[in-house]
Amino acid sequence: MGSRAGGRRTGPKCIAIVGPFSSGKTTLLEAILARTGTIPRQNPVSSGNTVSDHSPEARAHAMSVEATVATTEFMGDTLTFIDCPGSIEFAFEAEPVLAACDVAVVVAEADEKKIPALQLIMRRLDELGVPRILFLNKIDKSVAGVRDTLKMLQPASSLPLLLRQIPLRKDGVVIGSIDLALERAYIYREYAESEVAEIPGDDKAREIEARFSMLETLADQDDQLMEQLLEEIEPPKDAIFDDLAADLRAGTLTPVLIGAAEKGNGVLRLLKAIRHDAPDIEATRKRLGAPEGNATVVQVMKTVHTAHGGKLSVSRILSGQVADGAELYLPGGEMGKVSGIYRLLGKDQSKLASATAGDTVALGKLDDVRTGQTLTSAKGGMAPLIELSPPQPVYAFALRPKERKDDVKMSAAIQRLAEEDPSLSLRHNQDSAETILSGHGEMHLRVVRERLEGKNQIPVEGHAPAVPYRETIRKPVEQRGRHKKQSGGHGQFGDVVLQIKPLPRGTGFQFTDTITGGVVPKTYIQSVETGVRDYLKSGPMGFPVVDVAVNLSDGSYHAVDSSDMAFQMAAKLAMKEGMASCSPVLLEPVTKVEILTPSDATAKIIALIPQRRGQILGYDAREGWPGWDVVEATMPQAEIGDLIIELRSATAGVATYSASFSHMAELTGRLADDAMNASGKAA
């Protein structure tokens, strides 16, 4: 290996482990930690004892629900791995991680159904400019040829997939690998380093062919290598390794390594590729556009609220050094003081005196700091190097504590959860008096609820948010309203004649007056409008009234007994009696929906839209996304509450949608009755 074989230190690195759901990311991290001696043995995910997926929610659902940080040492270098969830519902966890890491290890397998999920990940790495290594996992269970597998996976990657190893088989069973750069065979041993061996004679021709293919791809970026291949000159191994490293760092290709994480196979070759070939903090600093100079710059990747240690800000030190007690400035210029620096291994922490450029550590007690922010030692702070933009939520429920005394406690707990997961959205709906929690799928919000009840000990109730129905009228009417009351002293008197008529859909509410001769003094006309508006908050069907015009045409007053309140009451009486005669009708909100789906599921998506009272507007290929379509439709808001569950079920978990208000449409018959019954309104 020439110069690569030495013990040269390469500095701390940060590696994101990403990949489709259930591809083996957590298992790979466990294998890495066991191989580097950080943990005594590799535990299977089923044991519930892995370093990653340590939360009760992750173990209960047998899936990663948050990014887990684990730092280890390999060949004298510090490597921090961050295991990111594979489910699209928790994908935003990876956003601030990917931005600040040096390289991503993409864990994939020979499963055609997972290609769209792999494509989503690869596309995001492209957008962020993050170099990546593809680890083809579960090679021991794959029956397909490795090069056929790469052909299958290639459409998911905009970069060429470069095979660096091929499997070594005996009697059809994978027993090891052949490294195409080193031209050596490695015989797998369970949970141990592979045994170096000569390439078997029967496999030599296959190795030569695969190696030449690798060199041809490398030669696309290296003219000297191309000349050597054309002249049939064997290139030096050091030059091949230099090209592999240069192309990975430049983002011109994606090297592919193979293995079986469940048995610890292929892990050492992956670690060496990361150590020797992956870029370091200097390249990441340039990619993020971090300023040159002597100032310390820190990028916050994740926020964690611990039970006893308070708030931790998992951060990448991009430049400079951070010591305990250091003062760091937020983007707005506010100052925070670091109280504790910790190295993380899953849920475990070990205290450090300081951290330097390249380190990934947790900084304690920075209470005002948020995920995604950039901190600096320079007074005045600096603008964030990354911009976090959570996708539009696709699932929501109305949340309330089972006991009212927990209202404030629940709000504070949700605020902490939203700090840990910026993709959560919380709002208060004034119309329905509901607290609406929104996220990216049913499981996403289920985990939030479990954390409220488990970690925070707050029993909660959840239900589908109320649909904002409205009502309007179909025909005009003229109605008198008179409020007259006599008691001791001054009485109350107000008398109005209102002309009520429908307006075109979407117009809203209009109030006018055609009073002549002062039959209703100008001082009371505003009171009449106030009374009308107050009534329109809840019409005959119990919902807010829209698209109505009201004109005050006549009335009378009493010089002593008339008042603002009397005319408000008269207006309400006129509206109450008149609206019932205006043929009131219920309106429901209709949304425009844009669904992003793999093309092979488009027919299923189109079929389910009419089942939800939707109307298909059209569909087309998704621009720049081979194998994906965009389906546009309109659909009643009442039908999209659990739409995402059906979409994900039809697309192996990858479809999503965005929705925006389109218009209000009349709702009659049984559906209207059901809507009023569900809302507790009387017809």
Side-chain angles (χ1 to χ4, degrees), residues 496-680:
V496 299
V497 176
L498 301 181
Q499 296 168 334
I500 309 167
K501 67 176 184 179
L503 288 176
R505 193 78 65 243
T507 306
F509 168 66
Q510 294 177 0
F511 180 84
T512 56
D513 79 272
T514 52
I515 293 297
T516 57
V519 292
V520 176
K522 285 186 177 180
T523 53
Y524 296 134
I525 291 175
Q526 180 63 50
S527 303
V528 174
E529 181 178 353
T530 299
V532 170
R533 287 184 179 275
D534 197 39
Y535 171 81
L536 293 178
K537 293 175 183 176
S538 180
M541 294 178 168
F543 296 96
V545 182
V546 296
D547 302 337
V548 168
V550 176
N551 179 62
L552 171 62
S553 61
D554 201 357
S556 61
Y557 76 103
H558 190 280
V560 176
D561 292 343
S562 288
S563 66
D564 287 335
M565 184 56 66
F567 272 98
Q568 286 186 37
M569 295 301 295
K572 288 182 184 178
L573 285 170
M575 291 300 295
K576 183 177 181 180
E577 293 175 13
M579 284 287 291
S581 303
C582 289
S583 295
V585 63
L586 195 64
L587 297 176
E588 68 171 342
V590 176
T591 58
K592 183 179 180 183
V593 179
E594 186 178 86
I595 301 169
L596 305 177
T597 175
S599 302
D600 59 6
T602 300
K604 293 181 189 175
I605 302 303
I606 289 174
L608 70 83
I609 289 172
Q611 297 169 16
R612 291 176 173 263
R613 298 191 288 130
Q615 181 178 352
I616 297 164
L617 301 178
Y619 70 95
D620 205 348
R622 185 180 181 186
E623 188 175 353
W625 285 73
W628 283 72
D629 287 335
V630 181
V631 179
E632 294 186 344
T634 56
M635 189 177 293
Q637 185 175 327
E639 299 288 346
I640 68 170
D642 61 352
L643 173 65
I644 193 63
I645 297 174
E646 197 165 4
L647 292 179
R648 298 259 167 85
S649 176
T651 60
V654 296
T656 191
Y657 75 88
S658 58
S660 58
F661 174 77
S662 175
H663 62 279
M664 301 297 286
E666 290 188 8
L667 187 65
T668 58
R670 181 182 60 79
L671 290 171
D673 292 340
D674 290 346
M676 286 188 287
N677 290 335
S679 302

Side-chain angles (χ1 to χ4, degrees), residues 409-426:
K409 189 178 175 185
M410 186 187 81
S411 295
I414 291 177
Q415 186 176 355
R416 289 193 299 271
L417 291 173
E419 275 193 48
E420 293 181 331
D421 180 0
S423 70
L424 282 176
S425 171
L426 186 72

Side-chain angles (χ1 to χ4, degrees), residues 225-243:
L225 178 58
M226 179 65 77
E227 289 177 13
Q228 290 171 335
L229 293 182
L230 291 173
E231 296 173 13
E232 297 185 357
I233 298 172
E234 178 63 27
K237 281 190 170 63
D238 277 357
I240 295 172
F241 281 118
D242 288 344
D243 278 349

Side-chain angles (χ1 to χ4, degrees), residues 161-442:
L161 298 177
L162 179 75
L163 195 61
R164 284 194 56 171
Q165 297 170 308
I166 58 174
L168 186 61
R169 300 178 189 268
K170 184 177 181 180
D171 299 327
V173 177
V174 175
I175 62 166
S177 66
I178 298 174
D179 190 294
L180 300 177
L182 287 170
E183 293 191 283
R184 291 181 193 158
Y186 292 87
I187 309 299
Y188 290 154
R189 296 186 295 178
E190 284 196 14
Y191 312 115
E193 186 174 341
S194 297
E195 180 185 339
V196 181
E198 293 294 322
I199 298 173
D202 294 346
D203 293 289
K204 192 62 183 174
R206 192 166 59 93
E207 182 269 334
I208 291 171
E209 182 186 355
R211 185 171 191 270
F212 186 77
S213 177
M214 178 188 77
L215 295 176
E216 276 188 316
T217 303
L218 289 175
D220 290 340
Q221 308 295 327
D222 184 339
D223 292 340
Q224 185 177 357
L225 178 58
M226 179 65 77
E227 289 177 13
Q228 290 171 335
L229 293 182
L230 291 173
E231 296 173 13
E232 297 185 357
I233 298 172
E234 178 63 27
K237 281 190 170 63
D238 277 357
I240 295 172
F241 281 118
D242 288 344
D243 278 349
L244 286 167
D247 287 348
L248 171 63
R249 294 170 188 173
T252 54
L253 56 78
T254 299
V256 178
L257 301 173
I258 64 174
E262 194 173 33
K263 297 176 181 177
N265 298 147
V267 171
L268 187 60
R269 299 307 311 156
L270 174 63
L271 284 167
K272 287 185 176 180
I274 290 169
R275 182 179 188 271
H276 293 300
D277 301 345
D280 56 15
I281 189 61
E282 184 177 351
T284 301
R285 196 162 50 234
K286 288 179 180 176
R287 171 164 56 80
L288 288 173
E292 301 278 345
N294 298 322
T296 295
V297 179
V298 175
Q299 184 61 44
V300 183
M301 307 166 84
K302 182 176 171 62
T303 300
V304 181
H305 286 276
T306 65
H308 305 294
K311 180 176 175 178
L312 296 178
S313 300
V314 180
S315 306
R316 187 87 197 276
I317 315 300
L318 298 180
S319 63
Q321 182 171 323
V322 177
D324 198 359
E327 295 178 352
L328 295 174
Y329 292 87
L330 281 67
E334 304 93 338
M335 189 268 286
K337 181 173 283 190
V338 175
S339 179
I341 302 173
Y342 305 92
R343 175 176 285 187
L344 298 180
L345 183 65
K347 66 179 184 295
D348 297 326
Q349 307 156 19
S350 54
K351 197 161 188 179
L352 302 173
S354 64
T356 189
D359 283 331
T360 304
V361 293
L363 305 178
K365 305 292 177 63
L366 294 173
D367 292 336
D368 296 326
V369 170
R370 299 291 178 265
T371 298
Q373 288 183 329
T374 307
L375 313 179
T376 176
S377 59
K379 289 185 178 180
M382 61 180 287
L385 294 174
I386 66 174
E387 183 179 345
L388 288 183
S389 300
Q392 185 186 86
V394 294
Y395 192 75
F397 60 59
L399 198 65
R400 66 174 176 232
K402 289 184 178 178
E403 298 184 34
R404 292 202 63 179
K405 67 180 179 64
D406 287 335
D407 262 333
V408 174
K409 189 178 175 185
M410 186 187 81
S411 295
I414 291 177
Q415 186 176 355
R416 289 193 299 271
L417 291 173
E419 275 193 48
E420 293 181 331
D421 180 0
S423 70
L424 282 176
S425 171
L426 186 72
R427 65 183 175 88
H428 182 72
N429 186 327
Q430 289 187 330
D431 283 348
S432 62
E434 292 175 326
T435 298
I436 310 296
L437 187 67
S438 304
H440 302 288
E442 188 268 340

